Amino acid sequence: MNIQEIRTNPFDDQKPGTSGLRKRVTAFQQPRYLENFVQSVFDTQETLAGGTLVLGGDGRYYNRQAIQVILRMAAANGVARCLVGQGGLLSTPAASCVIRKHGAAGGLILSASHNPGGPDGDFGIKFNIANGGAAPEAVTEAIYRRSREIERYRILAADDIDLERIGETRLGEMQVTIIDPVADYAELIETQFDFDAIAELLGGGFRMAFDAMHAVTGPYARRILEERLGAPEGTVRNGEPLEDFGGGHPDPNLAHAAELVALTRGPNGLDFAAASDGDGDRNMILGRDCFVTPSDSLAILTANHMVFPAWRDGIPGVARSMPTSRATDVVAERLGIPCYETPTGWKFFGNLLDAGRIAFCGEESFGTGSAHVREKDGLWAVLAWLNLLAVERRPVAEVLRDHWRRFGRHYYTRHDYEGIDSAAAQTLMEQLRRLMHGLEGECYGTHQVGHTDDFRYVDPIDGSVSEHQGIRFLFEDGSRIVYRLSGTGTVGATLRVYIERHETRPERLEDDTQQALADLIRASQAIADIAYHTGREAPDVVT
Ligand code: G1P
Ligand code: ZN
């Protein structure tokens, strides 16, 4: 075996964000950049030596090159076995499934999620631990600390291996298994839902589309929706994974999936449409002439958990990220189960899921999932909705309206101010932190500020504490404004402002969201002096 020790030194910008290390492709193409991160993982995660590593990504530009480098480094660092998705592909939820099923010591997932790909786009890498979930802060911090003092990395001198041929090969002493990226996941997901009922729905004139946005979910959706459940060929659109996602932005939201949205509009609109993002963990759910917000989606799936075979006998609890609307809290209260509020980022659900405290969890940012894996799961959400509709047999819009009638409606919006100056963003947040308590009791229109705080989370399982997770203005009438800075951006800073109001008067339920929140939106801009700090009169993206 020809193992090389290559001298290196730290980079200044390898601090992981909300979802691992995410940078421009050009950053990753610098010599030693990827290697430093990967070696820092091997240096700190001792169970990988002699253990199994799962490896795959969303197929974006640089995926294949990175996989070859990581394989040679894994072999040089004593990994016993590496499971790699064919073609270098594994959706994020599938990687989680494979780690769990095969008892791997961890996994490396290559993705920049919904960020654009291609030579000028983004790339990313994150480490998942043995439970299949993204590494918790203690682990990512250890990796980061290591990357600050790294002096050498280890790599095997060897040729590239063939990522297309399913089966076993060797790289030095390491066994490499190229696996079907869909098989384990498809087998698991079938245990969660009533596939017979869904197949019957799809065979009975129900019209739907799934947009894979030329990202990783194409092969998964084709196998499961078309081949297994019998949806007509062509149900899956843009199903071929491409390195640059066909030039698109693989972010399933009303702006970036506009073509899909158009298919659901008007009297001839589809009954149902859905999309997923670059790495397959996000979801967007549409019905004819309607859109289900991710916050409502979690609440509705929670209220209807008994239609899912995996949860027929009840659910122990649910969780949502702090900025996600409180629609699920209302349902949980009615069901008499706890609803946990965690910081932004899926990894905070990990301990609750491992401890069996929750069945479902979700984030407003198009993330929904369950205890079947330790990542959010786009196709899980799509199949959950199909399962629900197969039982309900009525339009999505009606399911939604009925839910609001029973639980009230949480009008909810997120305003993003993108690419703002990082220092200005920090100043804005610091000022808010200083001012917030002094604003308690102030009135904005009819809304009086009750409590304000900087969200702090104490993990109920391991007691770990996460500070400064977002500034919250909680109003006396139950409305809420939350401010936080994005942890996933690659250029400047992004300020996210989350605004919500709970409406329980049935006669007021049909309003337009921005309209229904107009006075709180104005308050959100005034309280933080957004125009002054950012120079922006209006948000760049409204969700
Ligand atoms: C964003 C979302 C967050 C999600 C993360 C990874 O992070 O807001 O909910 O977990 O992407 O998909 P942010 O950019 O806000 O830090
Ligand atoms: Zn994603």
Side-chain angles (χ1 to χ4, degrees), residues 143-350:
I143 295 169
Y144 175 59
R145 272 200 307 279
R146 179 68 197 147
S147 78
R148 299 297 301 148
E149 56 201 30
I150 193 159
E151 288 175 346
R152 50 110 196 104
Y153 66 86
R154 294 160 72 82
I155 190 160
L156 186 76
D159 290 333
D160 281 359
I161 72 158
D162 181 358
L163 297 176
E164 299 305 325
R165 217 183 50 236
I166 291 190
E168 311 280 339
T169 52
R170 292 197 84 79
L171 197 56
E173 315 243 289
M174 182 175 78
Q175 181 190 344
V176 179
T177 311
I178 306 293
I179 61 170
D180 173 346
V182 181
D184 288 332
Y185 176 83
E187 188 188 294
L188 173 68
I189 208 74
E190 189 161 347
T191 64
Q192 302 296 302
F193 300 114
D194 187 342
F195 266 40
D196 291 341
I198 300 175
E200 210 183 298
L201 175 79
L202 296 179
F206 182 85
R207 293 167 60 234
M208 75 163 280
F210 176 85
D211 192 343
M213 306 186 90
H214 285 304
V216 78
T217 41
Y220 295 85
R222 277 195 182 140
R223 183 91 57 89
I224 296 165
L225 293 172
E226 295 184 3
E227 290 170 28
R228 173 67 183 82
L229 288 164
E233 215 183 297
T235 297
V236 177
R237 305 163 64 87
N238 303 319
E240 215 58 64
L242 298 175
E243 287 199 329
D244 66 348
F245 308 119
H249 199 141
D251 194 359
N253 62 32
L254 295 174
H256 292 124
E259 234 174 77
L260 184 73
V261 174
L263 294 177
T264 61
R265 294 283 153 89
N268 201 29
L270 298 175
D271 298 305
F272 180 77
S276 192
D277 71 330
D279 61 328
D281 58 357
R282 294 188 175 200
N283 74 89
M284 178 174 67
I285 302 293
L286 300 158
R288 184 179 308 136
D289 288 323
C290 84
F291 157 63
V292 184
T293 70
S295 294
D296 280 343
S297 180
L298 179 64
I300 292 169
L301 298 180
T302 300
N304 293 286
H305 63 270
M306 48 289 190
V307 307
F308 308 121
W311 305 104
R312 198 150 273 161
D313 300 330
I315 53 178
V318 285
R320 62 164 174 83
S321 70
M322 182 272 283
T324 302
S325 102
R326 294 187 287 192
T328 300
D329 303 39
V330 178
V331 175
E333 201 184 327
R334 200 87 55 93
L335 291 172
I337 57 169
C339 178
Y340 299 88
E341 185 175 35
T342 59
T344 297
W346 203 262
K347 61 184 174 208
F348 291 102
F349 297 131

Side-chain angles (χ1 to χ4, degrees), residues 37 39 48 104 120 127 179 196 203 334 384 406 424 443 451 490 528:
F37 178 87
Q39 187 63 48
L48 289 171
D120 302 319
F127 177 65
I179 61 170
D196 291 341
R334 200 87 55 93
R406 286 171 59 204
C443 283
H451 176 75
T490 50

Side-chain angles (χ1 to χ4, degrees), residues 19 22 58 92-93 111-115 250 252 276-282 376:
S19 337
R22 196 175 289 178
D58 63 12
T92 293
S111 167
S113 189
H114 50 287
N115 294 10
S276 192
D277 71 330
D279 61 328
D281 58 357
R282 294 188 175 200
K376 57 193 174 225

Side-chain angles (χ1 to χ4, degrees), residues 193 272 283 285 297 301 368-369 377-386:
F193 300 114
F272 180 77
N283 74 89
I285 302 293
S297 180
L301 298 180
T368 325
D377 186 346
L379 272 169
W380 180 89
V382 174
L383 290 164
W385 269 89
L386 288 173

